[in-house]
Protein backbone atom coordinates (compact mmCIF):
# COMPACT_ATOMS: atom_id res chain seq x y z
CA UNK A 1 0.00 0.00 0.00
CA UNK A 2 2.92 2.34 0.63
CA UNK A 3 4.22 1.59 -2.88
CA UNK A 4 0.80 2.31 -4.37
CA UNK A 5 0.68 5.60 -2.47
CA UNK A 6 4.09 6.59 -3.80
CA UNK A 7 3.15 5.54 -7.33
CA UNK A 8 -0.04 7.61 -7.33
CA UNK A 9 1.62 10.76 -5.96
CA UNK A 10 4.66 10.70 -8.28
CA UNK A 11 2.52 11.90 -11.17
CA UNK A 12 1.68 15.26 -9.60
CA UNK A 13 5.10 15.76 -8.03
CA UNK A 14 6.93 15.40 -11.35
CA UNK A 15 4.56 17.31 -13.63
CA UNK A 16 6.73 20.48 -13.30
CA UNK A 17 9.79 18.41 -14.24
CA UNK A 18 8.00 16.94 -17.27
CA UNK A 19 6.77 20.39 -18.30
CA UNK A 20 10.28 21.81 -18.24
CA UNK A 21 11.98 18.86 -19.93
CA UNK A 22 9.47 18.35 -22.76
CA UNK A 23 8.33 22.00 -23.03
CA UNK A 24 4.72 21.09 -22.32
CA UNK A 25 1.76 23.41 -22.50
CA UNK A 26 -0.94 23.33 -19.84
CA UNK A 27 -3.08 21.08 -22.05
CA UNK A 28 -0.19 18.66 -22.57
CA UNK A 29 0.40 18.52 -18.82
CA UNK A 30 -3.30 17.82 -18.30
CA UNK A 31 -2.96 14.93 -20.74
CA UNK A 32 -0.74 13.08 -18.28
CA UNK A 33 -3.37 13.37 -15.54
CA UNK A 34 -6.34 12.76 -17.82
CA UNK A 35 -4.92 9.58 -19.35
CA UNK A 36 -4.16 8.20 -15.89
CA UNK A 37 -7.84 8.49 -14.92
CA UNK A 38 -8.93 6.89 -18.16
CA UNK A 39 -6.65 4.00 -17.19
CA UNK A 40 -8.28 3.79 -13.77
CA UNK A 41 -11.73 3.73 -15.36
CA UNK A 42 -10.73 1.02 -17.85
CA UNK A 43 -9.10 -1.27 -15.29
CA UNK A 44 -11.93 -0.87 -12.79
CA UNK A 45 -14.46 -1.84 -15.45
CA UNK A 46 -12.33 -4.75 -16.67
CA UNK A 47 -11.04 -5.79 -13.25
CA UNK A 48 -14.50 -6.24 -11.79
CA UNK A 49 -15.33 -8.80 -14.43
CA UNK A 50 -11.98 -10.56 -14.07
CA UNK A 51 -12.22 -10.89 -10.27
CA UNK A 52 -15.68 -12.43 -10.64
CA UNK A 53 -14.47 -14.90 -13.24
CA UNK A 54 -10.93 -15.80 -12.18
CA UNK A 55 -8.89 -16.30 -9.03
CA UNK A 56 -8.25 -12.99 -7.27
CA UNK A 57 -4.63 -14.04 -6.75
CA UNK A 58 -4.10 -14.55 -10.48
CA UNK A 59 -5.74 -11.21 -11.21
CA UNK A 60 -3.52 -9.49 -8.62
CA UNK A 61 -0.37 -11.10 -10.08
CA UNK A 62 -1.36 -10.02 -13.59
CA UNK A 63 -2.14 -6.47 -12.50
CA UNK A 64 1.14 -6.19 -10.60
CA UNK A 65 2.98 -7.48 -13.68
CA UNK A 66 1.38 -4.81 -15.89
CA UNK A 67 2.19 -2.16 -13.28
CA UNK A 68 5.86 -3.19 -13.28
CA UNK A 69 5.95 -3.30 -17.09
CA UNK A 70 4.86 0.33 -17.16
CA UNK A 71 7.66 1.17 -14.72
CA UNK A 72 10.16 -0.53 -17.03
CA UNK A 73 8.82 1.63 -19.87
CA UNK A 74 9.45 4.76 -17.79
CA UNK A 75 12.95 3.56 -16.94
CA UNK A 76 14.05 2.64 -20.45
CA UNK A 77 12.57 5.55 -22.40
CA UNK A 78 12.71 9.30 -22.23
CA UNK A 79 9.77 10.82 -24.07
CA UNK A 80 6.47 12.50 -23.33
CA UNK A 81 4.56 9.88 -25.34
CA UNK A 82 6.05 7.06 -23.26
CA UNK A 83 5.05 8.79 -20.02
CA UNK A 84 1.46 9.32 -21.21
CA UNK A 85 1.20 5.73 -22.42
CA UNK A 86 2.70 4.40 -19.20
CA UNK A 87 0.31 6.45 -17.04
CA UNK A 88 -2.62 4.66 -18.66
CA UNK A 89 -1.37 1.37 -17.24
CA UNK A 90 0.54 2.30 -14.08
CA UNK A 91 -2.27 4.40 -12.62
CA UNK A 92 -5.01 2.08 -13.85
CA UNK A 93 -3.45 -1.04 -12.35
CA UNK A 94 -2.58 0.67 -9.06
CA UNK A 95 -6.22 1.76 -8.68
CA UNK A 96 -7.43 -1.77 -9.34
CA UNK A 97 -4.85 -3.27 -6.96
CA UNK A 98 -6.13 -1.00 -4.18
CA UNK A 99 -9.67 -2.11 -5.02
CA UNK A 100 -8.55 -5.74 -4.72
CA UNK A 101 -7.29 -4.94 -1.22
CA UNK A 102 -10.83 -3.86 -0.36
CA UNK A 103 -12.18 -7.15 -1.71
CA UNK A 104 -9.61 -9.41 -0.05
CA UNK A 105 -9.42 -7.80 3.39
CA UNK A 106 -12.84 -9.03 4.60
CA UNK A 107 -11.86 -12.56 3.55
CA UNK A 108 -8.52 -12.43 5.36
CA UNK A 109 -9.59 -10.40 8.41
CA UNK A 110 -13.22 -11.35 8.84
CA UNK A 111 -13.38 -10.31 12.49
CA UNK A 112 -12.52 -6.64 11.89
CA UNK A 113 -12.31 -5.87 8.15
CA UNK A 114 -13.28 -2.22 8.52
CA UNK A 115 -10.44 -1.46 10.92
CA UNK A 116 -7.87 -3.27 8.77
CA UNK A 117 -8.99 -1.52 5.58
CA UNK A 118 -8.74 1.86 7.31
CA UNK A 119 -5.26 0.94 8.56
CA UNK A 120 -4.10 -0.15 5.11
CA UNK A 121 -5.31 3.01 3.42
CA UNK A 122 -3.79 5.07 6.23
CA UNK A 123 -0.49 3.38 5.35
CA UNK A 124 -1.10 4.25 1.70
CA UNK A 125 -1.48 7.86 2.81
CA UNK A 126 1.95 7.65 4.43
CA UNK A 127 3.39 6.72 1.02
CA UNK A 128 1.57 9.64 -0.62
CA UNK A 129 2.74 12.08 2.05
CA UNK A 130 6.33 10.80 1.82
CA UNK A 131 6.31 11.37 -1.93
CA UNK A 132 4.97 14.90 -1.68
CA UNK A 133 7.20 15.87 1.26
CA UNK A 134 10.50 14.10 0.58
CA UNK A 135 10.60 13.19 -3.11
CA UNK A 136 8.82 16.43 -4.00
CA UNK A 137 11.66 18.37 -2.44
CA UNK A 138 14.18 16.53 -4.62
CA UNK A 139 12.15 16.57 -7.85
CA UNK A 140 14.30 18.98 -9.83
CA UNK A 141 15.47 16.73 -12.67
CA UNK A 142 14.35 13.74 -14.72
CA UNK A 143 17.12 11.65 -13.10
CA UNK A 144 15.23 11.82 -9.80
CA UNK A 145 12.16 10.46 -11.59
CA UNK A 146 14.22 7.58 -12.98
CA UNK A 147 15.65 6.80 -9.54
CA UNK A 148 12.22 6.82 -7.89
CA UNK A 149 10.85 4.53 -10.60
CA UNK A 150 13.80 2.13 -10.18
CA UNK A 151 13.16 1.89 -6.43
CA UNK A 152 9.47 1.23 -7.07
CA UNK A 153 10.37 -1.47 -9.59
CA UNK A 154 12.56 -3.26 -7.04
CA UNK A 155 9.75 -3.05 -4.47
CA UNK A 156 7.34 -4.37 -7.10
CA UNK A 157 9.52 -7.42 -7.72
CA UNK A 158 9.54 -8.17 -3.99
CA UNK A 159 5.76 -7.71 -3.86
CA UNK A 160 5.31 -10.08 -6.79
CA UNK A 161 7.50 -12.76 -5.18
CA UNK A 162 5.55 -12.49 -1.91
CA UNK A 163 2.25 -12.55 -3.75
CA UNK A 164 3.15 -15.69 -5.71
CA UNK A 165 4.26 -17.48 -2.54
CA UNK A 166 1.33 -16.39 -0.37
CA UNK A 167 -2.05 -18.12 -0.45
CA UNK A 168 -4.67 -15.44 -0.84
CA UNK A 169 -8.16 -16.14 0.52
CA UNK A 170 -10.76 -16.55 -2.19
CA UNK A 171 -13.79 -16.91 0.02
CA UNK A 172 -16.26 -19.76 0.24
CA UNK A 173 -17.84 -21.02 -2.93
CA UNK A 174 -21.15 -19.25 -3.45
CA UNK A 175 -24.22 -21.32 -2.66
CA UNK A 176 -26.64 -21.99 -5.49
CA UNK A 177 -29.17 -19.20 -5.68
CA UNK A 178 -32.07 -18.38 -7.86
CA UNK A 179 -31.37 -16.37 -10.95
CA UNK A 180 -31.20 -12.72 -10.02
CA UNK A 181 -33.43 -10.25 -11.75
CA UNK A 182 -31.37 -7.95 -13.94
CA UNK A 183 -31.43 -4.25 -13.17
CA UNK A 184 -31.23 -1.84 -16.08
CA UNK A 185 -29.27 1.39 -16.08
CA UNK A 186 -32.53 3.30 -16.44
CA UNK A 187 -33.69 1.85 -13.13
CA UNK A 188 -30.42 2.84 -11.44
CA UNK A 189 -30.56 6.36 -12.87
CA UNK A 190 -34.15 6.64 -11.68
CA UNK A 191 -33.07 6.34 -8.02
CA UNK A 192 -32.66 9.84 -6.59
CA UNK A 193 -30.07 8.77 -4.02
CA UNK A 194 -27.80 7.54 -6.81
CA UNK A 195 -27.36 11.06 -8.15
CA UNK A 196 -26.58 12.48 -4.70
CA UNK A 197 -23.97 9.76 -4.18
CA UNK A 198 -22.53 10.39 -7.64
CA UNK A 199 -22.23 14.12 -6.97
CA UNK A 200 -20.74 13.65 -3.48
CA UNK A 201 -18.08 11.14 -4.57
CA UNK A 202 -17.36 13.01 -7.80
CA UNK A 203 -16.83 16.37 -6.12
CA UNK A 204 -14.65 14.78 -3.45
CA UNK A 205 -12.46 13.02 -6.00
CA UNK A 206 -12.10 16.19 -8.12
CA UNK A 207 -10.98 18.17 -5.06
CA UNK A 208 -8.63 15.53 -3.63
CA UNK A 209 -6.90 14.53 -6.83
CA UNK A 210 -6.91 18.02 -8.25
CA UNK A 211 -4.95 19.25 -5.23
CA UNK A 212 -2.63 16.24 -5.24
CA UNK A 213 -1.73 16.65 -8.91
CA UNK A 214 -1.66 20.42 -9.34
CA UNK A 215 -0.78 22.03 -5.99
CA UNK A 216 2.98 21.64 -6.41
CA UNK A 217 2.76 22.93 -9.99
CA UNK A 218 0.85 25.97 -8.76
CA UNK A 219 3.32 26.61 -5.95
CA UNK A 220 6.30 26.46 -8.32
CA UNK A 221 4.81 28.21 -11.35
CA UNK A 222 2.28 30.51 -9.73
CA UNK A 223 3.89 31.36 -6.39
CA UNK A 224 7.48 30.97 -7.61
CA UNK A 225 8.50 28.53 -4.90
CA UNK A 226 11.55 26.34 -5.40
CA UNK A 227 11.07 22.58 -5.74
CA UNK A 228 12.11 22.15 -2.11
CA UNK A 229 9.60 24.78 -0.97
CA UNK A 230 6.90 23.11 -3.07
CA UNK A 231 7.67 19.79 -1.41
CA UNK A 232 6.94 21.23 2.01
Amino acid sequence: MIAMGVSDALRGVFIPVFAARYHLSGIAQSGIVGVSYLGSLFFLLLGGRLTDRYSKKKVAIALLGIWMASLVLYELTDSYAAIVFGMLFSMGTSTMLCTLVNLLTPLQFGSAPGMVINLLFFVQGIGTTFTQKVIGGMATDISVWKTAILVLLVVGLVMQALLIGYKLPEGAAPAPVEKKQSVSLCQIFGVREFWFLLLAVGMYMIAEHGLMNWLITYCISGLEFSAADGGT
Side-chain angles (χ1 to χ4, degrees):
M1 293 303 290
I2 290 178
M4 294 300 103
V6 172
S7 174
D8 289 348
L10 280 180
R11 166 188 48 195
V13 166
F14 280 95
I15 280 181
V17 176
F18 298 149
R21 182 169 183 82
Y22 306 117
H23 309 289
L24 304 180
S25 64
I27 293 176
Q29 294 174 53
S30 299
I32 295 174
V33 179
V35 165
S36 68
Y37 287 112
L38 285 176
S40 296
L41 177 62
F42 171 77
F43 278 96
L44 285 173
L45 289 172
L46 178 65
R49 294 180 178 274
L50 293 177
T51 52
D52 286 340
R53 187 171 182 179
Y54 301 103
S55 162
K56 293 181 179 64
K57 178 176 179 177
K58 292 180 179 178
V59 173
I61 290 172
L63 288 171
L64 194 55
I66 296 172
W67 180 72
M68 288 191 293
S70 64
L71 300 186
V72 171
L73 176 67
Y74 295 146
E75 196 67 28
L76 298 181
T77 59
D78 184 15
S79 70
Y80 171 71
I83 289 173
V84 172
F85 185 74
M87 286 292 171
L88 181 72
F89 294 95
S90 65
M91 295 295 103
T93 51
S94 68
T95 300
M96 189 58 211
L97 283 168
C98 290
T99 303
L100 269 178
V101 169
N102 275 327
L103 298 176
L104 291 169
T105 300
L107 301 177
Q108 179 69 54
F109 304 97
S111 58
M115 182 189 71
V116 176
I117 288 176
N118 286 335
L119 177 62
L120 289 172
F121 280 90
F122 170 77
V123 171
Q124 183 188 25
I126 292 175
T128 301
T129 303
F130 171 82
T131 303
Q132 294 172 328
K133 172 66 176 178
V134 179
I135 301 179
M138 300 185 295
T140 57
D141 188 78
I142 199 70
S143 62
V144 183
W145 161 260
K146 297 282 188 180
T147 302
I149 292 300
L150 182 60
V151 172
L152 274 182
L153 185 58
V154 173
V155 173
L157 291 171
V158 175
M159 290 163 55
Q160 190 74 291
L162 292 173
L163 187 59
I164 291 173
Y166 182 71
K167 183 178 181 181
L168 288 178
E170 293 292 337
V177 295
E178 296 180 1
K179 184 178 180 181
K180 295 181 180 180
Q181 183 179 0
S182 61
V183 179
S184 67
L185 288 176
C186 291
Q187 290 176 285
I188 296 175
F189 293 155
V191 178
R192 185 181 61 177
E193 290 78 6
F194 169 78
W195 293 102
F196 285 113
L197 179 63
L198 186 68
L199 285 172
V201 175
M203 293 298 180
Y204 166 77
M205 295 300 290
I206 289 171
E208 180 193 18
H209 289 269
L211 282 173
M212 183 172 70
N213 289 302
W214 294 112
L215 183 59
I216 293 178
T217 301
Y218 170 68
C219 288
I220 294 175
S221 301
L223 302 180
E224 299 182 352
F225 288 181
S226 69
D229 292 331
T232 61

PDB file of all heavy atoms in Angstrom, residues 144-167:
ATOM      1  N   VAL A 144      15.905  12.166 -11.059  1.00  0.00           N
ATOM      2  CA  VAL A 144      15.234  11.825  -9.797  1.00  0.00           C
ATOM      3  C   VAL A 144      14.013  10.954 -10.082  1.00  0.00           C
ATOM      4  O   VAL A 144      13.714  10.010  -9.352  1.00  0.00           O
ATOM      5  CB  VAL A 144      14.835  13.096  -9.037  1.00  0.00           C
ATOM      6  CG1 VAL A 144      14.192  12.739  -7.686  1.00  0.00           C
ATOM      7  CG2 VAL A 144      16.042  13.999  -8.818  1.00  0.00           C
ATOM      8  N   TRP A 145      13.294  11.275 -11.153  1.00  0.00           N
ATOM      9  CA  TRP A 145      12.161  10.462 -11.592  1.00  0.00           C
ATOM     10  C   TRP A 145      12.612   9.034 -11.899  1.00  0.00           C
ATOM     11  O   TRP A 145      11.994   8.067 -11.451  1.00  0.00           O
ATOM     12  CB  TRP A 145      11.533  11.105 -12.831  1.00  0.00           C
ATOM     13  CG  TRP A 145      10.659  10.232 -13.680  1.00  0.00           C
ATOM     14  CD1 TRP A 145      11.015   9.621 -14.848  1.00  0.00           C
ATOM     15  CD2 TRP A 145       9.291   9.864 -13.447  1.00  0.00           C
ATOM     16  NE1 TRP A 145       9.957   8.900 -15.362  1.00  0.00           N
ATOM     17  CE2 TRP A 145       8.881   9.032 -14.521  1.00  0.00           C
ATOM     18  CE3 TRP A 145       8.374  10.158 -12.446  1.00  0.00           C
ATOM     19  CZ2 TRP A 145       7.602   8.511 -14.616  1.00  0.00           C
ATOM     20  CZ3 TRP A 145       7.090   9.631 -12.531  1.00  0.00           C
ATOM     21  CH2 TRP A 145       6.708   8.824 -13.604  1.00  0.00           C
ATOM     22  N   LYS A 146      13.709   8.903 -12.628  1.00  0.00           N
ATOM     23  CA  LYS A 146      14.224   7.577 -12.983  1.00  0.00           C
ATOM     24  C   LYS A 146      14.619   6.789 -11.731  1.00  0.00           C
ATOM     25  O   LYS A 146      14.362   5.585 -11.630  1.00  0.00           O
ATOM     26  CB  LYS A 146      15.435   7.721 -13.909  1.00  0.00           C
ATOM     27  CG  LYS A 146      15.149   8.378 -15.239  1.00  0.00           C
ATOM     28  CD  LYS A 146      14.490   7.441 -16.206  1.00  0.00           C
ATOM     29  CE  LYS A 146      14.392   8.054 -17.590  1.00  0.00           C
ATOM     30  NZ  LYS A 146      13.747   7.145 -18.570  1.00  0.00           N
ATOM     31  N   THR A 147      15.233   7.466 -10.772  1.00  0.00           N
ATOM     32  CA  THR A 147      15.651   6.795  -9.540  1.00  0.00           C
ATOM     33  C   THR A 147      14.441   6.323  -8.740  1.00  0.00           C
ATOM     34  O   THR A 147      14.414   5.193  -8.238  1.00  0.00           O
ATOM     35  CB  THR A 147      16.506   7.745  -8.680  1.00  0.00           C
ATOM     36  OG1 THR A 147      17.645   8.164  -9.434  1.00  0.00           O
ATOM     37  CG2 THR A 147      16.962   7.055  -7.405  1.00  0.00           C
ATOM     38  N   ALA A 148      13.435   7.188  -8.620  1.00  0.00           N
ATOM     39  CA  ALA A 148      12.219   6.823  -7.886  1.00  0.00           C
ATOM     40  C   ALA A 148      11.524   5.631  -8.545  1.00  0.00           C
ATOM     41  O   ALA A 148      11.053   4.710  -7.865  1.00  0.00           O
ATOM     42  CB  ALA A 148      11.269   8.015  -7.807  1.00  0.00           C
ATOM     43  N   ILE A 149      11.480   5.630  -9.872  1.00  0.00           N
ATOM     44  CA  ILE A 149      10.854   4.527 -10.600  1.00  0.00           C
ATOM     45  C   ILE A 149      11.638   3.237 -10.394  1.00  0.00           C
ATOM     46  O   ILE A 149      11.053   2.147 -10.224  1.00  0.00           O
ATOM     47  CB  ILE A 149      10.759   4.867 -12.105  1.00  0.00           C
ATOM     48  CG1 ILE A 149       9.765   6.001 -12.331  1.00  0.00           C
ATOM     49  CG2 ILE A 149      10.362   3.640 -12.909  1.00  0.00           C
ATOM     50  CD1 ILE A 149       8.353   5.711 -11.868  1.00  0.00           C
ATOM     51  N   LEU A 150      12.967   3.316 -10.390  1.00  0.00           N
ATOM     52  CA  LEU A 150      13.795   2.128 -10.184  1.00  0.00           C
ATOM     53  C   LEU A 150      13.547   1.528  -8.804  1.00  0.00           C
ATOM     54  O   LEU A 150      13.433   0.302  -8.668  1.00  0.00           O
ATOM     55  CB  LEU A 150      15.267   2.485 -10.358  1.00  0.00           C
ATOM     56  CG  LEU A 150      16.265   1.325 -10.209  1.00  0.00           C
ATOM     57  CD1 LEU A 150      15.989   0.248 -11.251  1.00  0.00           C
ATOM     58  CD2 LEU A 150      17.699   1.842 -10.333  1.00  0.00           C
ATOM     59  N   VAL A 151      13.448   2.375  -7.784  1.00  0.00           N
ATOM     60  CA  VAL A 151      13.163   1.886  -6.429  1.00  0.00           C
ATOM     61  C   VAL A 151      11.792   1.214  -6.384  1.00  0.00           C
ATOM     62  O   VAL A 151      11.628   0.134  -5.808  1.00  0.00           O
ATOM     63  CB  VAL A 151      13.237   3.042  -5.413  1.00  0.00           C
ATOM     64  CG1 VAL A 151      12.761   2.573  -4.037  1.00  0.00           C
ATOM     65  CG2 VAL A 151      14.655   3.582  -5.316  1.00  0.00           C
ATOM     66  N   LEU A 152      10.805   1.829  -7.022  1.00  0.00           N
ATOM     67  CA  LEU A 152       9.467   1.231  -7.067  1.00  0.00           C
ATOM     68  C   LEU A 152       9.485  -0.109  -7.786  1.00  0.00           C
ATOM     69  O   LEU A 152       8.769  -1.050  -7.404  1.00  0.00           O
ATOM     70  CB  LEU A 152       8.489   2.174  -7.771  1.00  0.00           C
ATOM     71  CG  LEU A 152       7.802   3.248  -6.933  1.00  0.00           C
ATOM     72  CD1 LEU A 152       6.845   4.059  -7.796  1.00  0.00           C
ATOM     73  CD2 LEU A 152       7.050   2.643  -5.756  1.00  0.00           C
ATOM     74  N   LEU A 153      10.280  -0.211  -8.840  1.00  0.00           N
ATOM     75  CA  LEU A 153      10.366  -1.467  -9.589  1.00  0.00           C
ATOM     76  C   LEU A 153      10.946  -2.577  -8.725  1.00  0.00           C
ATOM     77  O   LEU A 153      10.458  -3.719  -8.753  1.00  0.00           O
ATOM     78  CB  LEU A 153      11.219  -1.254 -10.842  1.00  0.00           C
ATOM     79  CG  LEU A 153      11.327  -2.432 -11.810  1.00  0.00           C
ATOM     80  CD1 LEU A 153       9.952  -2.871 -12.294  1.00  0.00           C
ATOM     81  CD2 LEU A 153      12.210  -2.045 -13.004  1.00  0.00           C
ATOM     82  N   VAL A 154      11.980  -2.273  -7.947  1.00  0.00           N
ATOM     83  CA  VAL A 154      12.556  -3.265  -7.037  1.00  0.00           C
ATOM     84  C   VAL A 154      11.524  -3.696  -5.995  1.00  0.00           C
ATOM     85  O   VAL A 154      11.364  -4.890  -5.707  1.00  0.00           O
ATOM     86  CB  VAL A 154      13.818  -2.693  -6.354  1.00  0.00           C
ATOM     87  CG1 VAL A 154      14.318  -3.645  -5.278  1.00  0.00           C
ATOM     88  CG2 VAL A 154      14.916  -2.442  -7.387  1.00  0.00           C
ATOM     89  N   VAL A 155      10.806  -2.728  -5.443  1.00  0.00           N
ATOM     90  CA  VAL A 155       9.752  -3.045  -4.473  1.00  0.00           C
ATOM     91  C   VAL A 155       8.672  -3.910  -5.124  1.00  0.00           C
ATOM     92  O   VAL A 155       8.160  -4.859  -4.528  1.00  0.00           O
ATOM     93  CB  VAL A 155       9.138  -1.757  -3.906  1.00  0.00           C
ATOM     94  CG1 VAL A 155       7.926  -2.068  -3.029  1.00  0.00           C
ATOM     95  CG2 VAL A 155      10.169  -0.986  -3.096  1.00  0.00           C
ATOM     96  N   GLY A 156       8.338  -3.588  -6.382  1.00  0.00           N
ATOM     97  CA  GLY A 156       7.337  -4.366  -7.100  1.00  0.00           C
ATOM     98  C   GLY A 156       7.749  -5.818  -7.286  1.00  0.00           C
ATOM     99  O   GLY A 156       6.924  -6.732  -7.177  1.00  0.00           O
ATOM    100  N   LEU A 157       9.029  -6.051  -7.569  1.00  0.00           N
ATOM    101  CA  LEU A 157       9.518  -7.424  -7.723  1.00  0.00           C
ATOM    102  C   LEU A 157       9.396  -8.200  -6.415  1.00  0.00           C
ATOM    103  O   LEU A 157       9.028  -9.382  -6.408  1.00  0.00           O
ATOM    104  CB  LEU A 157      10.973  -7.408  -8.201  1.00  0.00           C
ATOM    105  CG  LEU A 157      11.204  -6.914  -9.628  1.00  0.00           C
ATOM    106  CD1 LEU A 157      12.698  -6.748  -9.900  1.00  0.00           C
ATOM    107  CD2 LEU A 157      10.576  -7.875 -10.641  1.00  0.00           C
ATOM    108  N   VAL A 158       9.707  -7.525  -5.301  1.00  0.00           N
ATOM    109  CA  VAL A 158       9.544  -8.169  -3.989  1.00  0.00           C
ATOM    110  C   VAL A 158       8.077  -8.465  -3.726  1.00  0.00           C
ATOM    111  O   VAL A 158       7.711  -9.552  -3.255  1.00  0.00           O
ATOM    112  CB  VAL A 158      10.121  -7.268  -2.877  1.00  0.00           C
ATOM    113  CG1 VAL A 158       9.850  -7.869  -1.498  1.00  0.00           C
ATOM    114  CG2 VAL A 158      11.618  -7.072  -3.074  1.00  0.00           C
ATOM    115  N   MET A 159       7.208  -7.503  -4.037  1.00  0.00           N
ATOM    116  CA  MET A 159       5.762  -7.706  -3.860  1.00  0.00           C
ATOM    117  C   MET A 159       5.273  -8.890  -4.686  1.00  0.00           C
ATOM    118  O   MET A 159       4.467  -9.701  -4.208  1.00  0.00           O
ATOM    119  CB  MET A 159       5.020  -6.432  -4.270  1.00  0.00           C
ATOM    120  CG  MET A 159       5.218  -5.257  -3.339  1.00  0.00           C
ATOM    121  SD  MET A 159       4.751  -3.669  -4.095  1.00  0.00           S
ATOM    122  CE  MET A 159       3.065  -3.990  -4.614  1.00  0.00           C
ATOM    123  N   GLN A 160       5.752  -8.979  -5.929  1.00  0.00           N
ATOM    124  CA  GLN A 160       5.311 -10.079  -6.793  1.00  0.00           C
ATOM    125  C   GLN A 160       5.755 -11.425  -6.246  1.00  0.00           C
ATOM    126  O   GLN A 160       4.989 -12.399  -6.263  1.00  0.00           O
ATOM    127  CB  GLN A 160       5.880  -9.862  -8.206  1.00  0.00           C
ATOM    128  CG  GLN A 160       5.319 -10.786  -9.266  1.00  0.00           C
ATOM    129  CD  GLN A 160       3.903 -10.441  -9.664  1.00  0.00           C
ATOM    130  OE1 GLN A 160       2.979 -10.610  -8.871  1.00  0.00           O
ATOM    131  NE2 GLN A 160       3.729  -9.989 -10.894  1.00  0.00           N
ATOM    132  N   ALA A 161       6.998 -11.503  -5.753  1.00  0.00           N
ATOM    133  CA  ALA A 161       7.497 -12.756  -5.179  1.00  0.00           C
ATOM    134  C   ALA A 161       6.673 -13.163  -3.953  1.00  0.00           C
ATOM    135  O   ALA A 161       6.321 -14.337  -3.780  1.00  0.00           O
ATOM    136  CB  ALA A 161       8.966 -12.606  -4.801  1.00  0.00           C
ATOM    137  N   LEU A 162       6.354 -12.191  -3.103  1.00  0.00           N
ATOM    138  CA  LEU A 162       5.549 -12.487  -1.912  1.00  0.00           C
ATOM    139  C   LEU A 162       4.141 -12.910  -2.312  1.00  0.00           C
ATOM    140  O   LEU A 162       3.559 -13.818  -1.713  1.00  0.00           O
ATOM    141  CB  LEU A 162       5.490 -11.251  -1.007  1.00  0.00           C
ATOM    142  CG  LEU A 162       6.804 -10.843  -0.326  1.00  0.00           C
ATOM    143  CD1 LEU A 162       6.624  -9.516   0.396  1.00  0.00           C
ATOM    144  CD2 LEU A 162       7.265 -11.922   0.647  1.00  0.00           C
ATOM    145  N   LEU A 163       3.605 -12.251  -3.321  1.00  0.00           N
ATOM    146  CA  LEU A 163       2.248 -12.553  -3.752  1.00  0.00           C
ATOM    147  C   LEU A 163       2.154 -13.951  -4.337  1.00  0.00           C
ATOM    148  O   LEU A 163       1.193 -14.686  -4.078  1.00  0.00           O
ATOM    149  CB  LEU A 163       1.795 -11.517  -4.789  1.00  0.00           C
ATOM    150  CG  LEU A 163       0.339 -11.565  -5.246  1.00  0.00           C
ATOM    151  CD1 LEU A 163      -0.608 -11.399  -4.074  1.00  0.00           C
ATOM    152  CD2 LEU A 163       0.083 -10.480  -6.293  1.00  0.00           C
ATOM    153  N   ILE A 164       3.149 -14.347  -5.109  1.00  0.00           N
ATOM    154  CA  ILE A 164       3.148 -15.687  -5.706  1.00  0.00           C
ATOM    155  C   ILE A 164       3.260 -16.757  -4.621  1.00  0.00           C
ATOM    156  O   ILE A 164       2.617 -17.803  -4.685  1.00  0.00           O
ATOM    157  CB  ILE A 164       4.304 -15.812  -6.719  1.00  0.00           C
ATOM    158  CG1 ILE A 164       4.028 -14.919  -7.936  1.00  0.00           C
ATOM    159  CG2 ILE A 164       4.486 -17.266  -7.162  1.00  0.00           C
ATOM    160  CD1 ILE A 164       5.181 -14.833  -8.914  1.00  0.00           C
ATOM    161  N   GLY A 165       4.057 -16.484  -3.587  1.00  0.00           N
ATOM    162  CA  GLY A 165       4.259 -17.478  -2.536  1.00  0.00           C
ATOM    163  C   GLY A 165       3.191 -17.504  -1.463  1.00  0.00           C
ATOM    164  O   GLY A 165       3.129 -18.453  -0.682  1.00  0.00           O
ATOM    165  N   TYR A 166       2.327 -16.483  -1.433  1.00  0.00           N
ATOM    166  CA  TYR A 166       1.327 -16.389  -0.374  1.00  0.00           C
ATOM    167  C   TYR A 166      -0.023 -16.870  -0.885  1.00  0.00           C
ATOM    168  O   TYR A 166      -0.431 -16.548  -2.002  1.00  0.00           O
ATOM    169  CB  TYR A 166       1.218 -14.945   0.105  1.00  0.00           C
ATOM    170  CG  TYR A 166       0.245 -14.740   1.249  1.00  0.00           C
ATOM    171  CD1 TYR A 166       0.543 -15.216   2.525  1.00  0.00           C
ATOM    172  CD2 TYR A 166      -0.947 -14.067   1.053  1.00  0.00           C
ATOM    173  CE1 TYR A 166      -0.342 -15.025   3.571  1.00  0.00           C
ATOM    174  CE2 TYR A 166      -1.831 -13.873   2.096  1.00  0.00           C
ATOM    175  CZ  TYR A 166      -1.521 -14.349   3.355  1.00  0.00           C
ATOM    176  OH  TYR A 166      -2.396 -14.166   4.384  1.00  0.00           O
ATOM    177  N   LYS A 167      -0.733 -17.610  -0.061  1.00  0.00           N
ATOM    178  CA  LYS A 167      -2.045 -18.115  -0.451  1.00  0.00           C
ATOM    179  C   LYS A 167      -3.106 -17.088  -0.076  1.00  0.00           C
ATOM    180  O   LYS A 167      -3.403 -16.874   1.095  1.00  0.00           O
ATOM    181  CB  LYS A 167      -2.345 -19.446   0.235  1.00  0.00           C
ATOM    182  CG  LYS A 167      -3.680 -20.061  -0.201  1.00  0.00           C
ATOM    183  CD  LYS A 167      -3.918 -21.408   0.459  1.00  0.00           C
ATOM    184  CE  LYS A 167      -5.245 -22.008   0.000  1.00  0.00           C
ATOM    185  NZ  LYS A 167      -5.519 -23.310   0.645  1.00  0.00           N
TER     186      LYS A 167
END
